[in-house]
Amino acid sequence: MKDTEVVVRVAGAAGDGVQSAGLIIAKAFSRSGLYVNTYNYYQSLIRGGQSWYQIRAAHEKVRSQGDGLDVLIALNKDGLTRHTNPMINEGGASPLEGVAIFDKEITGYEKGKATYCEMPLGEIAAKYGKNALMKNTVAIGAMAAAVGLDFSILSGVIADQFGKKGDVADQNVKAAKEGYDYYSSNFKKLGKKIQYGKTKRYLMAGGEAVGLGAVSGGLKMYVGYPMTPASSVMHYLASHTEQFGLFVKVSEDEISAINMAIGANYAGVRAMTGSSGGGFALMTEALGMSGMVEVPLVVYEAQRSGPSTGLPTKTEQGDLMQVIGASQGDYPKVVFAPRNVEEAFYMTREALNLAEKLQMPVIVMSDLYLAEHYESVENLDLNFKIDRGNFAKDNQPDFKRYQYTDSGVSSRALPGQAGLMHNEDSDEHNEYGAVVSDAETDPTLRRLSMEKRMKKINIYLKEMPPTDTYRYSDAEYAIVQWGSTQGVVEEAVDMLREKGIKAGAVEINRVYPLNPDMGKLFSGKKKIIVVENNYSGQINRFLRSEFLVKTELITKYDGESFYPGALAEELEAVIRRN
Amino acid sequence: MVTLADYKGKVKPDWCPGCGNFAQLSAIGGALTELGIEPKDSVVVSGIGCSSNMPEFINMYGFHGLHGRLLPVAEAIKWANDKLTVIGYGGDGDGFFEGTQHFYHTSKRNVDITYIVSDNQIFGLTTGQASPTTSMGMVTKTTPNGNIEKPLNPLDFALTAGATFVARAFSGDAKHLKDVIKAGIQHRGFSFIDVLSPCVTYNKLNTYDFFRKRVYHIEGNDRKDLMQAYRIAQEWGDRIPIGILYENTDKTYEDYDPILSKGPLINNPVHKLVEDDLEEFV
């Protein structure tokens, strides 16, 4: 681990305040001018179990949660043992070799290589308030001292966090200060070369970025049904309805949610829905309807580990086949998979424009890792031109809602417009929207209608930007990734390069349809290695069939994200294998 | 001036001769005409089934969606643009099987739309299977030994779910049918109208004759009296009540919602993101 970065982990049981402590630390680093990247390990529990929250910070862009660990705040004995014991390697995280901060009441633990900083966390907390959780604040103060963080910045974050609770903010700041002082006078600072600064950046999670991107893209209605990890978008939007003039609705089920989103879009209001895999499965029939009736629709799909209820609080990229294959029959759709938090913002609003322009469903795929971890985001471009697509003029004579045009796109009419009354039908229909499915099935019309819808995708293909690559110009080995694994794959590529292995990454954020030009990126490479956070290699099969390339596959399906060091080792093994 | 001819669709209905849906098609057009609502300002949303083909046969905005899913579409159209008169139109198989969940929750939400169910007590389009309102003992393709499931009582269900307008009409009583639909459209809030509508092909039990012998007009009831409405809703047998059982003037979902209550969503300006909106992330 680099000297210029710091990794802090807060560990404890659910209900111990692990996440809120982690967020305060992340914000304090961010306000100290550092880039931040967090990792959240938790269970589907309200109390108990074991969870941890990790913050990695540096003055250079931080692309993943990293491998090492410098400071541990252990809120219980299990947390202390787990993260300092070399025998336990959870999801690839390395055991602590830095300082462990914990309450002196925790005793009888088995010692590892860490420096154990036993502190009177509970005693100090008790001086300032009755809330047991305040010992977290004391520990955060101690952590700040350990890494040389400016206390005034930390106290600012704490004050903001508890701002609405009056005296509580003041008590917490005092408790943190005493933790800070206690650590300073009893223990040594960590030997790190952190360059703190003043650059202002935003710290946000993927779910928030999707919500913000949707607002930037002109969203007026979001309807969903709670399901981790898709809910964070709904939570963000629901808490900002007045600010953004947004209508947010929790409906009776996902089927209702998507039908509502379609109804609103049909009536001319930009609306979106979202869920995770199980809920998305329920939505699929209506997804195809949006393709058939050519009503624009954006669906946010946040993957978690499956199948079935799976691991509700764990990450995976296992829904690609489901999303690409969603709904019966052939119909056009576009699937995005943003690679990082910033891109989640930009791609969501692009999806809203594209859906209206092409009058078809666009799905934005995310996963628990992308949706819930925080990243530093800078310079978000808030300017955006909303493109509502084609609308017919009132009283247009002989209006054909589904007119066969060269592009396949025809003009829409909104209910309320004069002289454009027509029927939008989930049955196969002719240019007017009249049904050709039952008694008067017409093979010619069926063929023309199908072609009209399907050729709309060509507009997207024509405007599609080239696939991004990383350190690729002289690469001998192509490492292919899609979606949220970007940061970790880039770091692994860097590690391979340090060893003299010429690796480079192909980064796919437009997963369906794939960019037809991507095939060129694979020619002449010694090996093409696909990295996926799933069991069967879903994009791997798709790449093989689309581009007829021979690939090797590295997968991870334990519910955790990849770790750069472990991934680099696996990649090296594949590269060296004959 | 809106006339009935304005609502005449370009496509000729392909329902069986004698189907109860014809009377409903006329009644919906008639009610909208008498209320002076222009075809451009009205939307009919349907599910799947014989009755659900309606949007094609009437000249207004039409949305023919998925089996059982018309209500979420209809609700959202109303939220998007509350100047529109939104009518949901489906069948008993559509609305009371797969659509039950939406029926319950739309009633409870009291969204200002009108929901008309053409209740022929059978699956028609799929050629005669037992539906949720099929009478006990009736022989159908799926109940060759007679239906052993107690039929769902749509009126009781709507009252329990909280619909603020609950009525029943009969396709064989055209004027009354039109008047009930008119009252339902005029009602501010969720209006539910169950229409006894004989399927002349697959339901040989609940025929026009069957109903003509039994239906009577509810008269003199206190429409605000929920308990009385429940009692009327239980009547089925030799005497079958038709008319408006219940009506109240509760606030609608749109009245309660802070965003929707300001006016139709379609008129809301798009929020232009500014730096201040990002301050919370610093």
Side-chain angles (χ1 to χ4, degrees):
Chain A
M1 192 171 30
K2 288 180 194 161
D3 253 8
T4 51
E5 67 174 40
V6 61
V7 182
V8 177
R9 188 177 294 171
V10 184
D16 279 347
V18 171
Q19 284 206 33
S20 54
L23 261 176
I24 289 175
I25 295 167
K27 251 190 174 163
F29 279 126
S30 180
R31 287 192 197 175
S32 304
L34 301 185
Y35 287 92
V36 174
N37 198 307
T38 74
Y39 195 80
N40 190 7
Y41 180 101
Y42 70 109
Q43 295 164 314
S44 197
L45 273 176
I46 304 303
R47 290 199 175 275
Q50 189 57 226
S51 63
W52 49 269
Y53 196 98
Q54 180 171 306
I55 307 99
R56 184 185 182 198
H59 70 272
E60 290 165 340
K61 181 99 181 153
V62 185
R63 291 172 292 189
S64 78
Q65 71 277 16
D67 296 300
L69 181 57
D70 296 303
V71 180
L72 173 72
I73 295 176
L75 300 174
N76 61 13
K77 186 172 166 181
D78 187 23
L80 186 63
T81 311
R82 210 178 264 251
H83 303 282
T84 58
N85 187 335
M87 298 306 288
I88 300 172
N89 186 7
E90 240 162 24
S94 306
L96 177 74
E97 292 190 13
V99 301
I101 295 164
F102 57 101
D103 193 272
K104 64 178 187 175
E105 292 196 356
I106 299 175
T107 54
Y109 49 88
E110 192 188 330
K111 283 203 171 185
K113 284 183 186 168
T115 306
Y116 288 81
C117 305
E118 189 181 289
M119 287 187 56
L121 299 179
E123 278 173 27
I124 297 173
K127 280 204 267 176
Y128 297 100
K130 283 179 187 152
N131 190 343
L133 290 182
M134 208 184 273
K135 66 182 182 186
N136 298 357
T137 316
V138 183
I140 293 170
M143 181 282 310
V147 302
L149 199 64
D150 184 340
F151 185 76
S152 69
I153 289 178
L154 177 63
S155 65
V157 176
I158 293 172
D160 286 354
Q161 180 86 355
F162 297 99
K164 288 174 192 157
K165 294 170 191 166
D167 289 348
V168 181
D170 190 44
Q171 290 161 358
N172 273 279
V173 169
K174 282 181 180 151
K177 183 67 169 63
E178 195 161 333
Y180 183 90
D181 292 341
Y182 188 95
Y183 186 96
S184 303
S185 34
N186 291 284
F187 307 108
K188 272 207 312 211
K189 244 172 85 170
L190 208 64
K192 286 267 169 179
K193 295 172 190 143
I194 311 296
Q195 297 175 24
Y196 295 107
K198 283 190 173 151
T199 312
K200 179 175 142 181
R201 286 189 200 95
Y202 305 115
L203 187 64
M204 63 177 76
E208 292 166 338
V210 167
L212 208 55
V215 172
S216 176
L219 189 82
K220 286 189 188 175
M221 171 168 163
Y222 187 92
V223 54
Y225 185 87
M227 186 168 182
T228 304
S231 298
S232 57
V233 171
M234 192 156 61
H235 296 166
Y236 172 72
L237 294 174
S239 60
H240 293 74
T241 51
E242 301 273 349
Q243 187 181 344
F244 299 144
L246 257 180
F247 173 54
V248 176
K249 178 88 196 93
V250 173
S251 59
E252 59 270 25
D253 55 26
E254 290 87 346
I255 296 172
S256 177
I258 189 167
N259 278 281
M260 282 178 176
I262 290 170
N265 275 302
Y266 160 72
V269 160
R270 267 199 180 176
M272 176 174 164
T273 184
S275 190
S276 187
F280 182 81
L282 294 176
M283 292 181 177
T284 53
E285 187 191 23
L287 192 78
M289 176 171 75
S290 126
M292 182 58 131
V293 298
E294 303 192 47
V295 168
L297 175 70
V298 175
V299 181
Y300 170 66
E301 201 271 354
Q303 304 163 97
R304 68 192 209 188
S305 303
S308 188
T309 309
L311 305 173
T313 61
K314 301 293 166 190
T315 199
E316 207 160 275
Q317 296 177 304
D319 296 350
L320 184 68
M321 287 304 184
Q322 183 193 198
V323 170
I324 290 175
S327 203
Q328 68 272 29
D330 290 323
Y331 66 100
K333 65 163 106 63
V334 170
V335 185
F336 288 167
R339 294 167 292 177
N340 53 56
V341 170
E342 193 176 319
E343 202 162 81
F345 172 84
Y346 292 118
M347 289 195 102
T348 303
R349 67 184 186 183
E350 185 191 338
L352 286 161
N353 260 9
L354 190 66
E356 279 211 304
K357 216 170 89 177
L358 302 186
Q359 300 175 28
M360 66 164 72
V362 179
I363 300 145
V364 179
M365 286 188 84
S366 164
D367 53 34
L368 185 131
Y369 171 72
L370 177 58
E372 297 192 351
H373 88 276
Y374 284 75
E375 265 176 38
S376 297
V377 170
E378 49 191 337
N379 302 326
L380 275 188
D381 181 2
L382 301 183
N383 292 312
F384 185 64
K385 198 167 176 293
I386 291 170
D387 180 355
R388 299 291 314 262
N390 295 350
F391 288 99
K393 288 199 177 75
D394 287 6
N395 296 311
Q396 191 174 300
D398 194 32
F399 173 64
K400 292 173 179 165
R401 165 67 183 98
Y402 300 106
Q403 187 165 20
Y404 303 141
T405 61
D406 289 342
S407 65
V409 178
S410 30
S411 309
R412 295 163 68 195
L414 301 181
Q417 280 193 274
L420 304 174
M421 286 79 72
H422 67 279
N423 181 37
E424 311 234 340
D425 215 299
S426 66
D427 285 73
E428 185 58 279
H429 43 259
N430 64 16
E431 287 180 279
Y432 293 98
V435 172
V436 296
S437 74
D438 293 333
E440 298 164 58
T441 300
D442 182 329
T444 307
L445 281 181
R446 157 65 176 177
R447 188 170 52 75
L448 288 172
S449 295
M450 181 59 99
E451 286 165 4
K452 171 231 185 308
R453 288 188 296 269
M454 295 306 285
K455 70 185 177 186
K456 291 191 287 183
I457 208 83
N458 294 330
I459 298 173
Y460 169 69
L461 285 174
K462 225 176 272 170
E463 293 172 1
M464 193 177 189
T467 306
D468 275 344
T469 57
Y470 178 72
R471 302 188 78 168
Y472 207 69
S473 58
D474 65 338
E476 293 171 352
Y477 301 95
I479 319 297
V480 189
Q481 67 85 212
W482 68 281
S484 74
T485 57
Q486 178 197 30
V488 79
V489 166
E490 286 187 359
E491 283 197 55
V493 164
D494 288 349
M495 290 173 186
L496 293 174
R497 289 263 173 181
E498 273 168 35
K499 290 190 156 187
I501 298 170
K502 286 187 177 168
V506 174
E507 303 183 342
I508 305 173
N509 57 2
R510 291 164 195 271
V511 286
Y512 188 84
L514 286 174
N515 192 322
D517 291 338
M518 198 189 299
K520 291 176 198 151
L521 293 173
F522 302 132
S523 69
K525 299 299 167 200
K526 285 185 182 164
K527 272 183 182 170
I528 302 162
I529 308 165
V530 182
V531 175
E532 280 189 81
N533 218 178
N534 59 41
Y535 181 87
S536 56
Q538 300 193 358
I539 210 162
N540 180 51
R541 294 192 214 171
F542 191 30
L543 287 168
R544 284 177 166 216
S545 63
E546 287 285 305
F547 304 113
L548 305 175
V549 286
K550 185 173 176 294
T551 59
E552 314 243 5
L553 178 64
I554 292 176
T555 59
K556 191 170 195 289
Y557 42 85
D558 57 3
E560 298 303 314
S561 166
F562 283 98
Y563 279 73
L567 177 61
E569 277 176 29
E570 278 196 79
L571 283 166
E572 192 180 344
V574 173
I575 285 167
R576 299 209 187 281
R577 194 162 62 202
N578 283 321
Chain B
M1 253 296 270
V2 187
T3 67
L4 193 55
D6 294 329
Y7 278 96
K8 194 172 160 34
K10 288 187 195 83
V11 178
K12 206 174 146 243
D14 53 6
W15 294 316
C16 304
C19 174
N21 295 336
F22 285 102
Q24 295 172 67
L25 175 64
S26 307
I28 291 173
L32 289 164
T33 304
E34 286 179 24
L35 292 169
I37 297 164
E38 289 190 48
K40 76 172 178 71
D41 295 322
S42 54
V43 189
V44 59
V45 184
S46 69
I48 297 296
C50 292
S51 53
S52 296
N53 290 330
M54 165 82 82
E56 220 186 330
F57 310 141
I58 190 163
N59 182 44
M60 55 198 275
Y61 278 92
F63 190 104
H64 185 184
L66 299 171
H67 191 64
R69 314 302 174 196
L70 70 91
L71 284 172
V73 176
E75 287 173 272
I77 293 170
K78 188 71 187 179
W79 292 332
N81 188 350
D82 72 357
K83 291 195 176 108
L84 300 169
T85 298
V86 182
I87 295 171
Y89 186 75
D92 46 302
D94 175 76
F96 306 148
F97 257 164
E98 288 196 314
T100 319
Q101 160 109 318
H102 310 308
F103 180 25
Y104 187 91
H105 288 274
T106 314
S107 301
K108 164 174 147 333
R109 263 177 220 131
N110 197 26
V111 179
D112 184 19
I113 59 177
T114 303
Y115 180 35
I116 303 166
V117 174
S118 177
D119 188 353
N120 58 15
Q121 300 159 271
I122 194 92
F123 275 91
L125 197 65
T126 50
T127 71
Q129 299 83 4
S131 95
T133 49
T134 297
S135 305
M136 277 193 96
M138 188 163 136
V139 173
T140 74
K141 277 188 182 160
T142 52
T143 55
N145 300 315
N147 182 27
I148 56 167
E149 209 172 315
K150 205 176 155 193
L152 180 140
N153 181 335
L155 303 177
D156 184 291
F157 188 96
L159 290 168
T160 300
T164 53
F165 179 103
V166 178
R168 182 191 276 143
F170 169 45
S171 277
D173 188 346
K175 185 176 179 306
H176 179 258
L177 170 68
K178 184 192 65 192
D179 288 343
V180 170
I181 291 175
K182 206 167 137 186
I185 293 170
Q186 279 178 304
H187 171 77
R188 217 173 155 276
F190 185 68
S191 314
F192 171 66
I193 305 164
D194 190 48
V195 184
L196 303 170
S197 181
C199 171
V200 293
T201 305
Y202 293 109
N203 191 337
K204 304 294 184 195
L205 176 68
N206 309 110
T207 60
Y208 285 99
D209 216 33
F210 173 93
F211 287 117
R212 280 207 184 97
K213 279 186 195 145
R214 291 169 171 83
V215 296
Y216 77 95
H217 289 195
I218 310 164
E219 270 163 23
N221 63 320
D222 176 2
R223 291 181 187 171
K224 286 194 180 119
D225 186 340
L226 185 61
M227 287 306 140
Q228 190 180 43
Y230 271 122
R231 278 195 295 276
I232 299 169
Q234 302 313 314
E235 287 181 48
W236 186 272
D238 291 343
R239 278 167 63 77
I240 298 174
I242 59 172
I244 301 164
L245 283 73
Y246 183 71
E247 183 169 15
N248 77 37
T249 52
D250 285 355
K251 282 166 83 171
T252 65
Y253 185 86
E254 300 82 84
D255 291 334
Y256 281 111
D257 185 83
I259 300 296
L260 296 178
S261 58
K262 287 180 192 156
L265 272 182
I266 197 159
N267 291 348
N268 273 10
V270 165
H271 177 85
K272 171 101 181 67
L273 271 189
V274 290
E275 293 281 331
D276 275 358
D277 294 325
L278 303 180
E279 259 329 282
E280 67 183 283
F281 297 105
V282 173

